[in-house]
Amino acid sequence: KVALVYAGFLGDKSFNDSAHAGAMRAVEEYGIELKEMESKEPTEWETNFVAMAAEDYDLVIAVSTQFEEIITKHAPEFPDKKFALIDGVVKGDNIVSSTFAQNEGSFLAGAAAAMFTTKTEIEGVNEDKIIGWVGGMDIPVLSDFFVGYEQGAKEIDPEITVLQSFAGSFNDPLKGKELTIAQYSQGADIVMNVASGTGNGILEAARDEGKYAIGVDLDQDDIYPGHILTSMLKRVDVATFLAIESVIEGTYEGNTTTYLDINNGGVGLTDFSVMREALGDAFPEDIVEKITELEEKVKSGEIVVEAFEGFGRQ
């Protein structure tokens, strides 16, 4: 019996839905019994977590870096219960953690955006060397995304301007849309979404304004085909499945952290196939070639992607 506790809602087509997909894989492969707790307000995070910990679940998974303090506080109260934290690290004999090199995936996304913004022959792409980035809440893990995105963009063009905005929420698509349209008005023609449910508004703005976006966490390319260049995959589904599998297989070991990076397929970009189909012969193949080259350089260590303070391999 496994419980997943979310800092938001399912249906975000992003981070939470990816965790759900990993849990559903465990349902299909192992027949686990699954309970999922969504949260409307931050005040519900702790209540939901403690409620699940108090019931007879074999594993309680906290699906967000924002559960770090909560799991630190309450896991010791349930020493016989197994916990997993997705997207953060907490030490404890009954806690396993999973973190991601989102900076590495975002490095590739920033490079792709910086190249795309020069393709003025594509409708909706202006001559300004400006790209955008809209995040949900201003928290360290999102800053790690941005550090990589900016570095990737400047790898292509050191003079490029990278706009940054935070919505203050992961569940406010209207705010996401408003911020994205504001960045388009400042000259950006492509904006990266790092905002969970808020991100649905970012992607919608790309469609409505005849502009472009980059998806996040899951493959979001076909939500608005022809308006989403690529998506930065963050394999929350893999981290979730591995945590569940470790309990089933008897390999669960507390005080350990799984690190998912570019080398083990934990982060990366989609294959651009949806955008390639939408643009046909107008699709800029040089972007794909350059991204492949940069990915190999990151894997080999020739390019070291900077991390936000406190991030990187732990």
Side-chain angles (χ1 to χ4, degrees):
K1 293 179 66 177
V2 177
L4 270 65
V5 186
Y6 297 100
F9 293 103
L10 291 169
D12 63 354
K13 301 176 183 174
S14 183
F15 191 90
N16 294 339
D17 282 1
S18 186
H20 171 76
M24 291 309 296
R25 179 181 163 196
V27 170
E28 292 162 15
E29 294 190 20
Y30 292 111
I32 66 163
E33 184 180 322
L34 179 65
K35 170 80 170 181
E36 295 179 284
M37 294 287 285
E38 299 171 87
S39 307
K40 183 178 181 182
E41 302 291 342
T43 51
E44 297 175 4
W45 300 345
E46 186 169 14
T47 306
N48 288 345
F49 179 82
V50 173
M52 293 301 96
E55 294 192 20
D56 62 339
Y57 290 99
D58 300 293
L59 175 67
V60 176
I61 302 178
V63 187
S64 173
T65 185
Q66 295 181 103
F67 282 101
E68 282 187 352
E69 288 186 15
I70 293 167
I71 204 168
T72 300
K73 177 181 175 183
H74 292 291
E77 299 168 4
F78 302 91
D80 298 327
K81 183 79 63 178
K82 293 181 174 68
F83 298 98
L85 175 64
I86 306 295
D87 211 21
V89 177
V90 172
K91 301 298 183 184
D93 292 338
N94 59 340
I95 306 166
V96 297
S97 304
S98 298
T99 60
F100 301 83
Q102 52 272 322
N103 59 323
E104 293 181 351
S106 293
F107 174 86
L108 300 179
M115 293 184 73
F116 188 80
T117 196
T118 67
K119 308 298 182 183
T120 52
E121 69 277 8
I122 296 173
E123 187 177 353
V125 178
N126 61 42
E127 293 184 356
D128 299 326
K129 292 184 175 182
I130 301 173
I131 62 174
W133 184 98
V134 175
M137 296 180 74
D138 188 355
I139 55 177
V141 69
L142 262 65
S143 295
D144 198 43
F145 270 98
F146 184 77
V147 165
Y149 185 70
E150 186 173 48
Q151 184 183 343
K154 291 185 181 295
E155 177 77 19
I156 300 300
D157 180 0
E159 303 302 315
I160 197 166
T161 298
V162 185
L163 305 176
Q164 181 190 40
S165 301
F166 287 101
S169 169
F170 286 114
N171 300 307
D172 191 348
L174 286 176
K175 184 68 173 178
K177 187 171 186 177
E178 173 190 312
L179 291 172
T180 304
I181 291 171
Q183 291 192 358
Y184 291 149
S185 73
Q186 293 174 68
D189 40 43
I190 184 164
V191 174
M192 185 174 179
N193 159 31
V194 191
S196 188
T198 297
N200 293 330
I202 298 170
L203 304 181
E204 190 177 282
R207 179 200 62 182
D208 290 358
E209 299 295 310
K211 298 290 187 181
Y212 301 92
I214 292 175
V216 75
D217 297 332
L218 282 175
D219 182 345
Q220 298 183 321
D221 297 8
D222 63 357
I223 295 177
Y224 299 115
H227 291 282
I228 302 169
L229 175 62
T230 184
S231 296
M232 195 218 97
L233 301 175
K234 181 170 174 175
R235 298 302 301 274
V236 178
D237 58 329
V238 173
T240 303
F241 177 80
L242 289 175
I244 297 170
E245 186 178 56
S246 72
V247 175
I248 294 165
E249 300 288 347
T251 58
Y252 178 98
E253 187 179 343
N255 255 329
T256 57
T257 300
T258 301
Y259 186 68
L260 292 99
D261 62 8
I262 211 164
N263 269 302
N264 59 23
V267 297
L269 298 186
T270 55
D271 64 4
F272 297 88
S273 59
V274 175
M275 187 60 111
R276 183 182 281 112
E277 184 176 343
L279 291 179
D281 292 341
F283 179 80
E285 291 290 347
D286 61 320
I287 294 180
V288 180
E289 292 164 11
K290 184 65 174 179
I291 293 303
T292 302
E293 174 195 319
L294 291 174
E295 186 172 14
E296 290 308 312
K297 287 182 176 180
V298 173
K299 284 180 177 178
S300 70
E302 183 179 341
I303 291 177
V304 176
V305 182
E306 296 163 16
F308 186 68
E309 184 181 350
F311 279 82
R313 185 176 291 279
Q314 300 190 41

